Amino acid sequence: MKYHYQLVSKTKVRIELIPEDKKEIGIFESFGENENNDQLTEYFRVGLAAYNTGAILVRINFMQFPKVALCSFETIKKTAPSLI
């Protein structure tokens, strides 16, 4: 799977999933628009993590189901270790 990532704002990105072989194309054809698709959500989570490792996927708004979506995310805040 390939991912096209386009930053929209500090908390939103446009992610396009690009299947690379017939198996992945078949998986996308099997997704139903009104179903809860954990596997599809996982593809977008992985696509987000590939570009921003400190991000947590919050919401997916499809622009072209099932391949293109506007994804809202939150950034994990890292704290510096205490020196005491």
Side-chain angles (χ1 to χ4, degrees):
M1 182 72 60
K2 289 185 179 179
Y3 304 94
H4 181 262
Y5 179 95
Q6 182 180 17
L7 189 63
V8 175
S9 73
K10 290 182 179 182
T11 60
K12 292 183 182 179
V13 295
R14 178 191 175 274
I15 297 177
E16 180 177 358
L17 305 177
I18 305 166
E20 295 186 274
D21 57 34
K22 289 181 182 183
K23 180 181 176 187
E24 290 176 345
I25 291 169
I27 290 170
F28 276 94
E29 290 173 352
S30 71
F31 290 134
E33 205 166 336
N34 296 325
E35 299 173 8
N36 184 6
N37 295 304
D38 293 335
Q39 185 178 10
L40 185 56
T41 301
E42 182 64 11
Y43 280 125
F44 280 100
R45 190 195 64 73
V46 170
L48 177 61
Y51 291 92
N52 187 343
T53 56
I56 299 172
L57 183 62
V58 175
R59 178 179 296 151
I60 300 172
N61 292 322
F62 286 100
M63 299 167 79
Q64 291 178 315
F65 184 86
K67 295 181 182 176
V68 182
L70 189 62
C71 300
S72 299
F73 66 91
E74 294 177 354
T75 304
I76 299 170
K77 295 180 181 172
K78 297 180 182 179
T79 57
S82 176
L83 300 176
I84 299 176

